[in-house]
Amino acid sequence: MTELSTIYKLSLVTFICFIKACSSSCPVLECWLVQEKTGRGGGLTGATSQEKCLLHIRTDAHSHTAKSQQSPSDINPDRVYSITDPAATLCHHSLNPPRGSVEKPQCEINPFSPQPSDLKWVAPLTDSGLSPIYLEADWFSTSLQGLNKQVAISTIMRAPTATKEHNVILSVTSNTVSVQSRLGEPVLLDCGFWVDSSSPLSGSGFAVEWRYQFRGDGRLVLAYDGKTDRLADTKEKGASLDLEGLHEKGNASLILQEAEVRHSGMYICSVYLPHIVAQVTLELEVVEPPSVSIYPSSLPLAVQGQTLTAECEASGFAPLSLELSWEFQGIDGKSRPLGSGSVTGHRQAWDGTYSQSSRLELDTTKLDLGRGGEVICVAVHLGGTRQASVTLNVIGFSTLSIEDSMGMVGVALVLYGLIKFVSWTFTSSGSDVAGQQEKKDK
């Protein structure tokens, strides 16, 4: 009986600890409140101010928070907010680093002004032209990035005017903040959203938009009007959405059928509700390692003092950055660098991949290459290191071993004897023919 009582008590303690751990799993986030400064006359000056604030995250508006705890000395008590997030999006583990950790998640909060959009795939959401009284409140947007880019989150929050009790109305999340893909492979850019079903904005439909940006170049990849169930006419070839998952689970992920070099860049996933929008930014990099080859594929036999030329070509790689170098590995297995040679500029192929060449001159007078070895071309790239090699044989008496010298002397003697034998045979045959002819004449 005592053992059962002890086990029950231990189980009860474990259960209570588990409940406490679950209730405290949501982090207290340090954020930067960024807003425009107000001038003396009450107007906006155009400059911005930054101020630290504290966000106490909870999943239930009636649950206890740690807000009663003393705030850090560098944070104004008026900048401590309670955030209710029923979806627990802001409770992601990467937003809650270990205590004492130097690295912290990125967090920024900005005042937000609800307004209708004139984009043709968003405009139907506000076609009534009426602004509900519900919008008359304090609105804020937050942008967060977890440790090691594990997650990117954007939320739109609403608070009754002049209060610090915020409710998440819309959240957009991505678990693929930075993606690498090989050329020709399918790519999934993750984007999901959640809407507070108790909000009046949740029953009027939604819209999803994907945009691409890279070095000043921008384009619409895909747009979908969830209210009328229509894709925009500007849909890019090979890009699609899982429409069933979009409506049932809020899965707005972008699917690229085959990764191309031109797909590398920044992607913005935006989710629209009537009057509000939240968006996350993702990065895609298409990485393809080079194919390396050396010309000629076999080097001619080199005599000591001769200069040979070899060319190395790296082709079919992306992105642009590449390092070409040469090495020589002797018969003894020892390697030494030969430099980068004469490197050409980049050339771009029809599929967007790049190629580059290096020309190497091997002067056997200046370089002690022994009896030869392997000439190796090395290409170092983000997609991996690749190399190609070709065999080099060098002859020269100064580098021959005793065995090689004796062998060459033996070969020379055999050749000399063979030449003398052939010469004697032809001479004897000629003499016999001349004698027979003389006898006939007589």
Side-chain angles (χ1 to χ4, degrees):
M1 184 69 178
T2 305
E3 290 183 1
L4 290 174
S5 178
T6 304
I7 293 173
Y8 173 78
K9 289 179 180 178
L10 288 174
S11 301
L12 183 61
V13 170
T14 304
F15 178 75
I16 292 173
C17 291
F18 175 77
I19 293 298
K20 288 184 176 179
C22 290
S23 62
S24 61
S25 60
C26 293
V28 177
L29 293 171
E30 287 189 9
C31 247
W32 287 101
L33 174 62
V34 181
Q35 55 186 341
E36 293 186 343
K37 291 182 177 179
T38 304
R40 292 183 179 180
L44 299 177
T45 63
T48 58
S49 64
Q50 294 190 59
E51 190 177 0
K52 267 190 176 182
C53 63
L54 210 60
L55 308 182
H56 290 271
I57 312 300
R58 59 189 180 183
T59 57
D60 185 356
H62 303 290
S63 65
H64 172 73
T65 66
K67 192 175 178 181
S68 58
Q69 297 178 1
Q70 187 176 0
S71 302
S73 58
D74 60 339
I75 295 180
N76 185 340
D78 292 335
R79 296 306 183 193
V80 179
Y81 303 99
S82 292
I83 311 297
T84 302
D85 179 19
T89 303
L90 299 177
C91 300
H92 193 276
H93 62 87
S94 66
L95 300 178
N96 194 8
R99 182 173 296 180
S101 176
V102 177
E103 294 185 7
K104 294 185 177 181
Q106 301 175 21
C107 179
E108 183 177 312
I109 182 170
N110 309 88
F112 180 81
S113 178
Q115 54 188 347
S117 173
D118 57 359
L119 293 171
K120 62 182 181 179
W121 45 87
V122 183
L125 300 179
T126 53
D127 53 8
S128 64
L130 299 177
S131 296
I133 300 177
Y134 178 77
L135 299 179
E136 296 177 4
D138 292 337
W139 292 81
F140 290 88
S141 67
T142 59
S143 297
L144 306 99
Q145 189 174 103
L147 296 176
N148 302 318
K149 296 184 177 181
Q150 293 183 51
V151 67
I153 301 173
S154 176
T155 68
I156 300 297
M157 302 183 300
R158 179 187 182 274
T161 305
T163 67
K164 294 187 291 183
E165 303 289 331
H166 293 238
N167 295 302
V168 175
I169 306 302
L170 170 65
S171 62
V172 179
T173 311
S174 175
N175 295 305
T176 56
V177 181
S178 182
V179 182
Q180 279 192 357
S181 173
R182 290 287 299 270
L183 197 66
E185 291 183 348
V187 179
L188 176 68
L189 299 179
D190 177 66
C191 182
F193 70 96
W194 173 87
V195 181
D196 181 6
S197 58
S198 66
S199 169
L201 304 181
S202 66
S204 302
F206 66 90
V208 174
E209 176 189 88
W210 278 93
R211 285 191 178 273
Y212 167 89
Q213 287 185 352
F214 183 69
R215 295 179 181 176
D217 175 33
R219 65 177 183 267
L220 177 67
V221 178
L222 184 147
Y224 175 73
D225 177 0
K227 185 176 182 178
T228 61
D229 191 25
R230 292 182 60 185
L231 286 167
D233 296 335
T234 53
K235 179 177 176 292
E236 185 169 299
K237 183 181 178 182
S240 62
L241 294 173
D242 176 9
L243 297 181
E244 184 177 350
L246 180 62
H247 283 272
E248 293 181 359
K249 303 177 182 179
N251 179 11
S253 301
L254 179 67
I255 304 167
L256 299 176
Q257 188 175 357
E258 291 185 3
E260 301 177 18
V261 175
R262 67 184 183 91
H263 289 149
S264 291
M266 304 296 295
Y267 288 81
I268 303 172
C269 174
S270 302
V271 177
Y272 293 84
L273 294 183
H275 304 282
I276 64 174
V277 57
Q279 56 187 209
V280 291
T281 302
L282 300 75
E283 181 180 9
L284 170 63
E285 187 171 27
V286 178
V287 178
E288 187 68 18
S291 298
V292 182
S293 55
I294 296 180
Y295 304 98
S297 56
S298 60
L299 294 174
L301 190 66
V303 181
Q304 192 72 26
Q306 184 181 1
T307 299
L308 295 178
T309 301
E311 184 173 333
C312 174
E313 183 180 22
S315 59
F317 61 89
L320 188 67
S321 180
L322 180 79
E323 292 183 10
L324 285 173
S325 62
W326 293 85
E327 296 177 2
F328 176 75
Q329 184 175 20
I331 296 177
D332 56 2
K334 295 181 179 180
S335 298
R336 58 173 168 150
L338 298 176
S340 58
S342 179
V343 181
T344 65
H346 291 86
R347 301 176 299 276
Q348 192 168 20
W350 63 270
D351 61 353
T353 59
Y354 299 93
S355 62
Q356 193 173 25
S357 302
S358 173
R359 184 182 178 88
L360 177 69
E361 290 189 354
L362 285 168
D363 189 346
T364 56
T365 304
K366 299 178 181 179
L367 297 172
D368 183 12
L369 303 178
R371 288 180 291 160
E374 294 290 319
V375 178
I376 305 170
C377 175
V378 181
V380 180
H381 185 262
L382 179 63
T385 300
R386 300 290 188 270
Q387 64 181 35
S389 63
V390 64
T391 303
L392 172 67
N393 291 310
V394 181
I395 59 172
F397 288 103
S398 60
T399 61
L400 292 178
S401 64
I402 295 175
E403 292 81 0
D404 291 341
S405 300
M406 293 179 65
M408 291 186 69
V409 170
V411 171
L413 290 174
V414 171
L415 289 174
Y416 177 75
L418 181 62
I419 291 171
K420 292 294 292 181
F421 174 76
V422 172
S423 175
W424 177 80
T425 301
F426 276 102
T427 303
S428 300
S429 300
S431 299
D432 293 342
V433 171
Q436 293 176 3
Q437 185 66 36
E438 185 178 356
K439 288 181 181 180
K440 287 182 179 180
D441 291 342
K442 288 181 179 183

